[in-house]
Amino acid sequence: QRTIDTAHLFKTQRAKWSKCQYYSLRQLSFCLLEREMNLNLHDPTEDAQVTIELYRNHCLETEKLEIAKKKLVEYSTKKKFPDFRIHCRFGQCSGMYSPQRCLCG
């Protein structure tokens, strides 16, 4: 497999029949690497570095991945994540992964 999607690797599901919870790269970095990504602008280089670090630290062993997912669920349940939404100067739709935030209809 040549492409690895962290959104799918780290998705969690609280109950058997509930919807999956997906986490943004900023949330993964905040929770699992304990650092905030650049809040002022989007930096693809930083995205790549964080993704590689997440993969190396948490995805190579099933046990570590499960521990990471439990930590993500805890942060989500206890509302420990800050508001990471980036507000753009331009009318950009942010509904790609969250239809309730769709701006374009």
Side-chain angles (χ1 to χ4, degrees):
Q1 182 178 348
R2 295 180 62 107
T3 305
I4 297 167
D5 188 348
T6 55
H8 290 287
L9 281 174
F10 289 102
K11 73 180 175 185
T12 60
Q13 194 172 9
R14 291 195 189 128
K16 187 176 182 178
W17 303 109
S18 68
K19 289 183 182 179
C20 289
Q21 171 79 39
Y22 292 91
Y23 302 92
S24 70
L25 191 55
R26 290 181 190 277
Q27 289 174 317
L28 293 172
S29 176
F30 182 82
C31 177
L32 302 177
L33 302 178
E34 298 177 355
R35 73 167 183 246
E36 287 190 28
M37 295 175 69
N38 189 335
L39 298 174
N40 297 321
L41 53 99
H42 175 245
D43 180 1
T45 305
E46 183 182 34
D47 288 358
Q49 290 170 341
V50 167
T51 302
I52 290 168
E53 192 172 344
L54 284 165
Y55 184 77
R56 286 181 177 160
N57 292 350
H58 301 285
C59 298
L60 296 176
E61 297 175 32
T62 308
E63 206 173 290
K64 286 184 178 181
L65 182 58
E66 292 308 313
I67 291 168
K69 287 181 177 185
K70 286 178 184 175
K71 188 172 181 182
L72 288 164
V73 169
E74 177 190 340
Y75 266 59
S76 181
T77 304
K78 294 182 178 178
K79 301 189 185 312
K80 291 183 178 182
F81 289 119
D83 181 8
F84 286 118
R85 285 179 284 179
I86 295 177
H87 304 283
C88 298
R89 282 188 276 178
F90 312 106
Q92 181 178 351
C93 182
S94 55
M96 183 171 164
Y97 294 109
S98 182
Q100 66 266 25
R101 291 187 185 158
C102 181
L103 303 174
C104 60

